[in-house]
């Protein structure tokens, strides 16, 4: 999805290989009809793209950045260090440490550079999107109602007894 004038969420990831996970966040944002752009921004392989993205996101009208990265997952924290927008970090499940490396890389931010950290992998990507919806719904009544309905549907779908 390319940038539109009213793009609300920036959904970025360190590599094409992160898309399998991060597209689940995109799917949820689409369900809630929240405009978002998706970009590959690597902290290590494209540092200038990272700097320019983080520097300009707020001016472009983006309100929240969801950033997924794996291994030495510096993308969310680096974006937080440059931008004043809330950054929701998603640790991607990595090949060698199953995402524990990604989790620690994102969660252990020093004081002064807050970066939210979600669960490793697909649940984390989906929850980051839902969390973004929840933040936006604070100032959007229609979205708030949609979120309540989404949660009710989830609750209603859980049967009482295992089958
Ligand atoms: C990180 O390195 C990316 O976020 C990705 O999760 C990981 C591996 O990248 P590839 O080698 O698959 O491109 O920067």
């Amino acid at each position: 999805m390319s940038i539109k004038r009213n793009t609300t969420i920036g959904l970025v990831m360190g590599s094409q290989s992160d898309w399998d996970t991060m597209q689940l966040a995109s799917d949820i944002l689409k369900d809630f009809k929240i405009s978002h752009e998706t970009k590959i921004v690597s902290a290590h392989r494209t540092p200038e793209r990272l700097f320019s993205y983080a520097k300009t996101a707020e001016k472009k009208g983006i309100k929240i950045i969801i950033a997924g990265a794996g291994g030495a997952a510096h993308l969310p924290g680096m974006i937080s260090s440059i931008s004043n927008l809330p950054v929701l970090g998603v640790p991607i499940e990595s090949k060698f440490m199953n995402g524990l490396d990604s989790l620690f890389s994102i969660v252990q931010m020093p004081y002064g550079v807050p970066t939210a950290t979600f669960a490793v992998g697909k649940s984390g990507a989906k929850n980051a999107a839902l969390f973004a919806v929840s933040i936006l719904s604070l100032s959007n009544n229609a979205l708030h109602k949609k979120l309540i309905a989404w949660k009710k549907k989830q609750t209603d779908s859980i049967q009482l007894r295992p089958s």
Side-chain angles (χ1 to χ4, degrees):
M1 188 174 288
S2 59
I3 184 125
K4 293 188 196 124
R5 276 186 74 189
N6 60 350
T7 295
T8 312
I9 307 269
L11 182 63
V12 295
M13 62 219 78
S15 166
Q16 174 63 43
S17 64
D18 298 333
W19 178 237
D20 267 2
T21 303
M22 297 308 289
Q23 68 180 331
L24 298 172
S26 175
D27 289 345
I28 289 196
L29 296 175
K30 279 183 201 155
D31 285 349
F32 281 92
K33 298 196 172 14
I34 294 175
S35 57
H36 59 288
E37 61 169 355
T38 53
K39 288 214 160 116
I40 296 172
V41 180
S42 167
H44 307 115
R45 293 171 177 151
T46 65
E48 284 171 20
R49 193 186 302 174
L50 159 71
F51 189 81
S52 138
Y53 187 86
K55 201 79 189 155
T56 57
E58 191 170 353
K59 283 184 214 142
K60 288 191 305 192
I62 287 173
K63 302 277 184 286
I64 300 165
I65 295 175
I66 300 175
H74 300 141
L75 179 64
M78 282 306 298
I79 293 177
S80 276
S81 75
I82 299 163
S83 171
N84 292 311
L85 293 172
V87 178
L88 314 186
V90 179
I92 301 291
E93 195 172 336
S94 57
K95 285 183 203 129
F96 301 109
M97 298 179 80
N98 301 325
L100 201 58
D101 45 356
S102 323
L103 175 66
F104 287 167
S105 296
I106 297 174
V107 80
Q108 287 294 354
M109 288 299 291
Y111 161 69
V113 192
T115 307
T117 310
F118 287 81
V120 172
K122 293 182 174 175
S123 292
K126 291 191 268 189
N127 275 344
L130 287 168
F131 198 84
V133 171
S134 173
I135 294 172
L136 295 173
S137 76
L138 290 171
S139 56
N140 181 331
N141 206 30
L143 193 58
H144 184 64
K145 284 185 183 150
K146 262 195 214 173
L147 184 59
I148 290 170
W150 189 95
K151 286 192 171 172
K152 181 173 182 328
K153 194 172 161 199
Q154 173 174 250
T155 300
D156 292 347
S157 77
I158 309 297
Q159 57 192 25
L160 181 60
R161 294 187 182 83
S163 51

